[in-house]
Coordinates of all heavy atoms in Angstrom, one line a residue:
M1 N 118.8 80.7 -110.5 CA 117.8 80.0 -109.8 C 117.6 78.6 -110.3 O 117.8 78.4 -111.5 CB 116.5 80.8 -110.0 CG 115.3 80.3 -109.2 SD 113.8 81.3 -109.4 CE 114.4 82.9 -108.8
D2 N 117.3 77.7 -109.4 CA 117.1 76.3 -109.8 C 115.8 76.1 -110.5 O 114.8 76.7 -110.3 CB 117.2 75.4 -108.6 CG 118.6 75.2 -108.0 OD1 119.5 75.6 -108.7 OD2 118.7 74.7 -106.9
G3 N 115.8 75.1 -111.4 CA 114.6 74.7 -112.1 C 113.8 73.7 -111.1 O 114.2 73.6 -110.0
L4 N 112.8 73.2 -111.6 CA 111.9 72.4 -110.8 C 112.6 71.1 -110.3 O 112.3 70.7 -109.2 CB 110.6 72.0 -111.6 CG 109.7 73.1 -112.0 CD1 108.5 72.6 -112.8 CD2 109.2 73.9 -110.7
N5 N 113.5 70.6 -111.0 CA 114.1 69.3 -110.6 C 115.5 69.5 -110.1 O 116.3 68.6 -110.0 CB 114.1 68.3 -111.8 CG 114.9 68.8 -112.9 OD1 115.5 69.9 -112.9 ND2 115.0 68.0 -114.0
G6 N 115.8 70.8 -109.7 CA 117.1 71.0 -109.1 C 118.2 71.4 -110.1 O 119.3 71.6 -109.7
T7 N 117.9 71.4 -111.4 CA 118.9 71.7 -112.4 C 118.8 73.3 -112.7 O 117.8 73.9 -112.5 CB 118.7 71.0 -113.7 OG1 117.4 71.3 -114.3 CG2 118.8 69.5 -113.5
A8 N 119.9 73.8 -113.0 CA 119.9 75.2 -113.4 C 119.1 75.5 -114.6 O 119.0 74.6 -115.5 CB 121.3 75.7 -113.6
I9 N 118.4 76.6 -114.6 CA 117.5 76.9 -115.8 C 118.4 77.0 -117.0 O 117.9 76.7 -118.1 CB 116.7 78.2 -115.5 CG1 115.7 77.9 -114.4 CG2 116.1 78.7 -116.8 CD1 115.0 79.1 -113.9
S10 N 119.6 77.4 -116.9 CA 120.5 77.5 -118.1 C 120.8 76.1 -118.7 O 121.3 76.0 -119.8 CB 121.8 78.2 -117.7 OG 122.5 77.5 -116.8
E11 N 120.5 75.1 -117.9 CA 120.7 73.7 -118.4 C 119.4 73.1 -119.0 O 119.2 71.9 -119.0 CB 121.2 72.8 -117.3 CG 122.5 73.2 -116.7 CD 122.9 72.4 -115.5 OE1 122.3 71.3 -115.3 OE2 123.7 72.9 -114.7
D12 N 118.6 73.9 -119.5 CA 117.3 73.5 -120.1 C 117.5 72.5 -121.2 O 118.2 72.8 -122.2 CB 116.6 74.8 -120.7 CG 115.2 74.5 -121.2 OD1 114.8 73.3 -121.4 OD2 114.5 75.4 -121.5
P13 N 117.0 71.3 -121.1 CA 117.2 70.2 -122.1 C 116.6 70.6 -123.4 O 116.9 69.9 -124.4 CB 116.6 69.0 -121.5 CG 115.6 69.5 -120.5 CD 116.2 70.8 -120.0
F14 N 115.7 71.5 -123.4 CA 115.0 71.9 -124.7 C 115.5 73.1 -125.3 O 114.9 73.7 -126.3 CB 113.5 72.1 -124.4 CG 112.8 70.9 -123.8 CD1 112.5 70.8 -122.5 CD2 112.5 69.8 -124.6 CE1 111.9 69.7 -121.9 CE2 112.0 68.7 -124.1 CZ 111.7 68.6 -122.7
R15 N 116.7 73.6 -124.9 CA 117.2 74.9 -125.4 C 117.5 74.8 -126.9 O 117.5 75.9 -127.5 CB 118.4 75.3 -124.6 CG 119.6 74.4 -124.8 CD 120.8 74.9 -123.9 NE 121.9 73.9 -123.9 CZ 122.0 72.9 -123.1 NH1 121.1 72.8 -122.1 NH2 123.0 72.0 -123.2
D16 N 117.8 73.7 -127.4 CA 118.1 73.6 -128.9 C 116.8 73.4 -129.7 O 116.9 73.4 -130.9 CB 119.1 72.4 -129.1 CG 120.4 72.7 -128.5 OD1 120.8 73.9 -128.4 OD2 121.1 71.7 -128.2
L17 N 115.7 73.2 -129.1 CA 114.4 73.0 -129.8 C 113.9 74.3 -130.4 O 113.9 75.3 -129.7 CB 113.4 72.4 -128.8 CG 112.0 72.1 -129.4 CD1 112.1 70.9 -130.4 CD2 111.1 71.7 -128.3
E18 N 113.6 74.3 -131.6 CA 113.1 75.5 -132.3 C 111.6 75.6 -132.0 O 110.8 74.7 -132.4 CB 113.3 75.4 -133.8 CG 114.8 75.6 -134.1 CD 115.0 75.8 -135.6 OE1 114.1 76.5 -136.3 OE2 116.0 75.3 -136.1
I19 N 111.2 76.6 -131.2 CA 109.8 76.8 -130.8 C 109.2 77.9 -131.6 O 109.8 79.0 -131.7 CB 109.8 77.1 -129.3 CG1 110.4 76.0 -128.5 CG2 108.3 77.4 -128.9 CD1 110.6 76.3 -127.0
P20 N 108.1 77.6 -132.2 CA 107.4 78.7 -133.0 C 107.2 79.9 -132.2 O 106.8 79.8 -131.0 CB 106.1 78.1 -133.5 CG 106.3 76.6 -133.4 CD 107.3 76.4 -132.3
P21 N 107.3 81.1 -132.7 CA 107.1 82.3 -131.9 C 105.7 82.4 -131.3 O 105.5 83.0 -130.2 CB 107.3 83.5 -132.9 CG 108.1 82.9 -134.0 CD 107.8 81.4 -134.1
E22 N 104.8 81.8 -131.9 CA 103.4 81.8 -131.4 C 103.3 81.1 -130.1 O 102.4 81.3 -129.3 CB 102.4 81.1 -132.4 CG 102.3 81.8 -133.8 CD 103.3 81.2 -134.8 OE1 104.3 80.5 -134.4 OE2 103.2 81.6 -135.9
L23 N 104.2 80.1 -129.8 CA 104.1 79.4 -128.6 C 105.1 79.8 -127.5 O 105.0 79.5 -126.4 CB 104.4 77.9 -128.9 CG 103.4 77.2 -129.7 CD1 103.8 75.7 -129.9 CD2 102.0 77.2 -129.1
E24 N 106.1 80.6 -128.0 CA 107.2 80.9 -127.0 C 106.7 81.7 -125.8 O 107.1 81.4 -124.7 CB 108.3 81.8 -127.8 CG 109.5 82.1 -126.9 CD 110.2 80.9 -126.4 OE1 110.4 79.9 -127.2 OE2 110.6 80.8 -125.2
K25 N 105.9 82.7 -126.0 CA 105.4 83.5 -124.9 C 104.5 82.6 -123.9 O 104.7 82.7 -122.7 CB 104.5 84.6 -125.4 CG 105.3 85.8 -126.0 CD 104.5 86.8 -126.5 CE 104.0 87.8 -125.4 NZ 103.3 88.9 -126.0
N26 N 103.8 81.7 -124.5 CA 103.0 80.8 -123.7 C 103.8 79.9 -122.9 O 103.6 79.7 -121.7 CB 102.1 79.9 -124.7 CG 101.1 79.0 -124.0 OD1 101.5 78.2 -123.2 ND2 99.9 79.2 -124.4
I27 N 104.9 79.3 -123.5 CA 105.8 78.4 -122.7 C 106.5 79.2 -121.6 O 106.6 78.7 -120.5 CB 106.8 77.8 -123.7 CG1 106.0 76.8 -124.7 CG2 107.9 77.1 -123.0 CD1 106.8 76.3 -125.8
Q28 N 107.0 80.3 -121.9 CA 107.7 81.1 -120.9 C 106.8 81.5 -119.8 O 107.2 81.4 -118.6 CB 108.3 82.4 -121.6 CG 109.2 83.2 -120.6 CD 110.4 82.3 -120.1 OE1 111.0 81.5 -120.8 NE2 110.7 82.5 -118.9
R29 N 105.6 81.9 -120.0 CA 104.6 82.2 -119.0 C 104.4 81.0 -118.1 O 104.4 81.2 -116.8 CB 103.3 82.7 -119.6 CG 102.3 83.0 -118.6 CD 101.0 83.7 -119.2 NE 100.5 82.9 -120.4 CZ 99.6 81.9 -120.3 NH1 99.1 81.6 -119.1 NH2 99.2 81.3 -121.4
H30 N 104.3 79.8 -118.6 CA 104.0 78.7 -117.8 C 105.3 78.3 -117.0 O 105.1 77.8 -115.8 CB 103.5 77.5 -118.7 CG 102.1 77.6 -119.0 ND1 101.1 77.3 -118.1 CD2 101.5 78.1 -120.1 CE1 99.9 77.5 -118.6 NE2 100.1 78.0 -119.8
R31 N 106.4 78.4 -117.6 CA 107.6 78.2 -116.8 C 107.7 79.1 -115.6 O 108.1 78.6 -114.5 CB 108.9 78.4 -117.7 CG 109.2 77.3 -118.6 CD 110.5 77.7 -119.3 NE 110.8 76.6 -120.3 CZ 111.8 76.7 -121.2 NH1 112.5 77.9 -121.3 NH2 112.1 75.8 -122.0
E32 N 107.4 80.3 -115.8 CA 107.5 81.3 -114.7 C 106.5 81.0 -113.6 O 106.8 81.0 -112.4 CB 107.3 82.7 -115.2 CG 108.5 83.2 -116.0 CD 108.2 84.5 -116.8 OE1 107.2 85.1 -116.6 OE2 109.1 84.9 -117.6
H33 N 105.3 80.6 -114.0 CA 104.2 80.2 -113.1 C 104.6 79.0 -112.3 O 104.4 79.0 -111.1 CB 102.9 80.0 -113.8 CG 102.3 81.3 -114.3 ND1 101.2 81.3 -115.1 CD2 102.6 82.6 -114.1 CE1 100.8 82.5 -115.4 NE2 101.7 83.3 -114.8
L34 N 105.2 78.0 -112.9 CA 105.6 76.8 -112.2 C 106.7 77.1 -111.2 O 106.7 76.6 -110.1 CB 106.1 75.7 -113.2 CG 104.9 75.0 -114.0 CD1 105.5 74.1 -115.0 CD2 104.0 74.2 -113.0
M35 N 107.7 77.9 -111.6 CA 108.8 78.3 -110.7 C 108.2 79.0 -109.5 O 108.6 78.7 -108.4 CB 109.8 79.1 -111.4 CG 110.8 78.3 -112.3 SD 112.2 79.2 -112.8 CE 111.6 80.8 -113.3
L36 N 107.4 80.0 -109.7 CA 106.8 80.7 -108.6 C 106.0 79.9 -107.7 O 106.0 80.0 -106.5 CB 106.0 81.9 -109.2 CG 106.7 83.0 -109.8 CD1 105.8 84.0 -110.5 CD2 107.7 83.7 -108.8
L37 N 105.2 78.9 -108.3 CA 104.4 78.0 -107.5 C 105.3 77.2 -106.6 O 105.1 77.1 -105.4 CB 103.6 77.1 -108.3 CG 102.9 76.0 -107.6 CD1 101.8 76.6 -106.7 CD2 102.3 75.0 -108.5
V38 N 106.3 76.6 -107.1 CA 107.2 75.8 -106.3 C 107.9 76.6 -105.2 O 108.0 76.2 -104.1 CB 108.3 75.1 -107.2 CG1 109.4 74.4 -106.4 CG2 107.6 74.1 -108.1
L39 N 108.4 77.8 -105.6 CA 109.0 78.6 -104.6 C 108.1 79.0 -103.5 O 108.4 79.0 -102.3 CB 109.6 79.9 -105.2 CG 110.8 79.6 -106.2 CD1 111.2 80.9 -106.9 CD2 112.0 79.0 -105.4
S40 N 106.9 79.3 -103.9 CA 105.8 79.7 -102.9 C 105.5 78.6 -101.9 O 105.4 78.7 -100.7 CB 104.6 80.2 -103.6 OG 104.8 81.4 -104.3
L41 N 105.3 77.4 -102.5 CA 105.0 76.2 -101.7 C 106.1 75.9 -100.8 O 105.9 75.5 -99.6 CB 104.6 75.0 -102.6 CG 103.3 75.2 -103.4 CD1 103.1 74.0 -104.4 CD2 102.1 75.3 -102.5
R42 N 107.3 75.9 -101.3 CA 108.5 75.6 -100.4 C 108.6 76.6 -99.3 O 108.8 76.2 -98.1 CB 109.8 75.6 -101.2 CG 110.0 74.4 -102.0 CD 111.4 74.4 -102.7 NE 111.6 73.2 -103.5 CZ 112.4 73.1 -104.5 NH1 113.2 74.2 -104.8 NH2 112.5 72.0 -105.1
S43 N 108.4 77.9 -99.6 CA 108.5 78.9 -98.5 C 107.4 78.8 -97.5 O 107.5 79.2 -96.4 CB 108.6 80.3 -99.1 OG 107.3 80.7 -99.7
A44 N 106.2 78.2 -97.9 CA 105.1 78.0 -97.0 C 105.3 76.7 -96.2 O 104.4 76.3 -95.4 CB 103.8 78.0 -97.8
G45 N 106.3 75.9 -96.5 CA 106.6 74.7 -95.7 C 105.9 73.5 -96.2 O 105.7 72.5 -95.5
V46 N 105.4 73.6 -97.5 CA 104.7 72.4 -98.1 C 105.7 71.4 -98.4 O 106.8 71.7 -98.9 CB 103.9 72.9 -99.3 CG1 103.2 71.7 -100.0 CG2 102.9 74.0 -98.9
D47 N 105.3 70.1 -98.1 CA 106.3 69.0 -98.4 C 106.4 68.7 -99.9 O 105.6 69.1 -100.7 CB 105.9 67.8 -97.6 CG 104.6 67.1 -98.0 OD1 104.2 67.3 -99.2 OD2 104.0 66.4 -97.2
E48 N 107.4 68.0 -100.2 CA 107.7 67.7 -101.6 C 106.6 66.9 -102.3 O 106.3 67.2 -103.5 CB 109.1 66.9 -101.7 CG 110.3 67.6 -101.3 CD 110.6 68.8 -102.3 OE1 110.5 68.6 -103.5 OE2 111.0 69.9 -101.8
A49 N 106.0 66.0 -101.6 CA 104.9 65.2 -102.2 C 103.7 66.1 -102.7 O 103.2 66.0 -103.8 CB 104.4 64.1 -101.3
Q50 N 103.4 67.1 -101.8 CA 102.3 68.0 -102.2 C 102.7 68.9 -103.3 O 101.9 69.3 -104.2 CB 101.9 68.8 -101.0 CG 100.7 69.7 -101.2 CD 99.4 68.9 -101.6 OE1 99.1 67.9 -101.1 NE2 98.7 69.4 -102.7
I51 N 104.0 69.3 -103.3 CA 104.5 70.2 -104.4 C 104.4 69.4 -105.7 O 103.9 69.9 -106.7 CB 106.0 70.6 -104.2 CG1 106.0 71.6 -103.0 CG2 106.6 71.2 -105.4 CD1 107.4 72.0 -102.5
E52 N 104.8 68.1 -105.7 CA 104.7 67.3 -106.9 C 103.3 67.2 -107.4 O 103.0 67.3 -108.6 CB 105.3 65.9 -106.7 CG 106.8 66.0 -106.6 CD 107.4 64.6 -106.4 OE1 106.8 63.6 -106.8 OE2 108.5 64.5 -105.9
T53 N 102.3 67.0 -106.5 CA 100.9 66.9 -106.8 C 100.4 68.1 -107.5 O 99.8 68.1 -108.5 CB 100.1 66.5 -105.6 OG1 100.5 65.2 -105.1 CG2 98.6 66.4 -105.9
S54 N 100.7 69.3 -106.9 CA 100.3 70.6 -107.3 C 100.9 70.8 -108.8 O 100.2 71.3 -109.6 CB 100.7 71.7 -106.4 OG 100.2 71.5 -105.1
V55 N 102.1 70.6 -109.0 CA 102.8 70.8 -110.3 C 102.1 69.8 -111.3 O 101.9 70.2 -112.4 CB 104.3 70.6 -110.2 CG1 104.9 70.5 -111.6 CG2 104.9 71.7 -109.3
S56 N 101.8 68.6 -110.9 CA 101.2 67.6 -111.8 C 99.8 68.2 -112.3 O 99.5 68.0 -113.5 CB 101.0 66.3 -111.2 OG 102.3 65.7 -111.0
V57 N 99.1 68.7 -111.4 CA 97.7 69.3 -111.8 C 97.9 70.4 -112.8 O 97.2 70.5 -113.8 CB 97.0 69.7 -110.6 CG1 95.7 70.5 -111.0 CG2 96.6 68.5 -109.7
I58 N 98.9 71.3 -112.5 CA 99.1 72.5 -113.4 C 99.6 72.0 -114.8 O 99.2 72.5 -115.8 CB 100.0 73.5 -112.7 CG1 99.3 74.1 -111.6 CG2 100.5 74.5 -113.7 CD1 100.2 75.0 -110.7
V59 N 100.5 71.1 -114.8 CA 101.1 70.6 -116.0 C 100.0 69.9 -116.9 O 100.0 70.1 -118.1 CB 102.3 69.7 -115.8 CG1 102.7 69.0 -117.0 CG2 103.4 70.4 -115.2
A60 N 99.1 69.2 -116.3 CA 98.0 68.6 -117.0 C 97.2 69.6 -117.7 O 96.8 69.5 -118.8 CB 97.2 67.6 -116.1
S61 N 96.9 70.7 -116.9 CA 96.1 71.8 -117.5 C 96.8 72.4 -118.6 O 96.2 72.8 -119.7 CB 95.8 72.8 -116.4 OG 95.1 73.9 -116.9
Y62 N 98.1 72.7 -118.4 CA 98.9 73.3 -119.5 C 99.0 72.4 -120.7 O 99.0 72.9 -121.8 CB 100.3 73.6 -118.9 CG 101.3 74.1 -120.0 CD1 101.0 75.2 -120.7 CD2 102.5 73.4 -120.3 CE1 101.8 75.7 -121.7 CE2 103.3 73.9 -121.2 CZ 103.0 75.0 -122.0 OH 103.8 75.5 -122.9
K63 N 99.1 71.1 -120.5 CA 99.1 70.2 -121.7 C 97.9 70.4 -122.6 O 98.0 70.5 -123.8 CB 99.1 68.8 -121.2 CG 99.0 67.7 -122.3 CD 99.0 66.3 -121.7 CE 98.7 65.3 -122.8 NZ 98.4 64.0 -122.2
E64 N 96.7 70.5 -122.0 CA 95.5 70.7 -122.8 C 95.6 72.1 -123.5 O 95.2 72.2 -124.6 CB 94.3 70.6 -121.9 CG 94.1 69.3 -121.2 CD 93.9 68.2 -122.3 OE1 93.2 68.4 -123.3 OE2 94.5 67.1 -122.1
E65 N 96.0 73.1 -122.8 CA 96.1 74.4 -123.4 C 97.1 74.4 -124.6 O 96.9 75.0 -125.6 CB 96.5 75.5 -122.3 CG 96.7 76.9 -122.9 CD 97.1 77.9 -121.9 OE1 96.8 77.6 -120.6 OE2 97.7 78.9 -122.2
L66 N 98.3 73.7 -124.4 CA 99.3 73.7 -125.4 C 98.8 72.9 -126.6 O 99.0 73.4 -127.8 CB 100.5 73.0 -124.8 CG 101.7 72.9 -125.8 CD1 102.2 74.3 -126.2 CD2 102.9 72.2 -125.1
I67 N 98.1 71.8 -126.4 CA 97.5 71.1 -127.5 C 96.5 71.9 -128.3 O 96.6 72.0 -129.6 CB 96.8 69.8 -127.0 CG1 97.9 68.8 -126.6 CG2 95.9 69.1 -128.1 CD1 97.3 67.6 -125.8
R68 N 95.7 72.7 -127.6 CA 94.7 73.6 -128.3 C 95.5 74.6 -129.1 O 95.1 74.9 -130.3 CB 93.8 74.3 -127.3 CG 92.7 73.4 -126.8 CD 91.6 74.2 -126.1 NE 92.2 75.0 -125.0 CZ 92.4 74.6 -123.7 NH1 92.1 73.4 -123.4 NH2 92.9 75.4 -122.8
S69 N 96.5 75.2 -128.5 CA 97.3 76.2 -129.3 C 98.0 75.6 -130.5 O 98.0 76.3 -131.6 CB 98.4 76.8 -128.4 OG 97.9 77.4 -127.3
M70 N 98.5 74.4 -130.4 CA 99.2 73.8 -131.5 C 98.2 73.5 -132.6 O 98.5 73.6 -133.8 CB 100.0 72.6 -131.1 CG 101.1 72.9 -130.2 SD 102.0 71.5 -129.5 CE 102.9 71.0 -130.9
K71 N 97.0 72.9 -132.2 CA 96.0 72.7 -133.2 C 95.6 73.9 -133.9 O 95.3 73.9 -135.1 CB 94.8 71.9 -132.6 CG 95.1 70.5 -132.2 CD 93.9 69.8 -131.6 CE 94.2 68.4 -131.3 NZ 93.0 67.7 -130.6
G72 N 95.4 75.0 -133.2 CA 95.1 76.3 -133.8 C 96.1 76.8 -134.8 O 95.7 77.4 -135.8
M73 N 97.4 76.5 -134.5 CA 98.4 76.9 -135.5 C 98.3 76.1 -136.8 O 98.7 76.6 -137.8 CB 99.8 76.7 -134.8 CG 100.1 77.7 -133.7 SD 101.6 77.3 -132.9 CE 102.8 77.1 -134.3
L74 N 97.8 74.9 -136.7 CA 97.8 74.0 -137.9 C 96.6 74.3 -138.8 O 96.6 73.9 -139.9 CB 97.7 72.5 -137.5 CG 99.0 72.0 -136.7 CD1 98.7 70.6 -136.2 CD2 100.2 72.1 -137.6
R75 N 95.7 75.1 -138.3 CA 94.5 75.4 -139.1 C 94.7 76.5 -140.1 O 95.5 77.3 -140.0 CB 93.3 75.8 -138.1 CG 92.8 74.7 -137.3 CD 91.7 75.1 -136.5 NE 91.4 74.0 -135.6 CZ 91.0 74.1 -134.4 NH1 90.7 75.3 -133.9 NH2 90.8 73.1 -133.6

């Protein structure tokens, strides 16, 4: 299956990054949600610009959640 930008998921540019186990499940869950969102929007006939806007909103929300998680790990 293709990633969000048309690259294969196996070509993940972050595959060599060591991710703490505490964050791995969180990251995987968000990847899956983003893929499902894009696939759903495409199948509903939503144009690329709206897909990009929707993904941007979700990524911004995820950024805040990820920062909170990382700060929690440092405590």
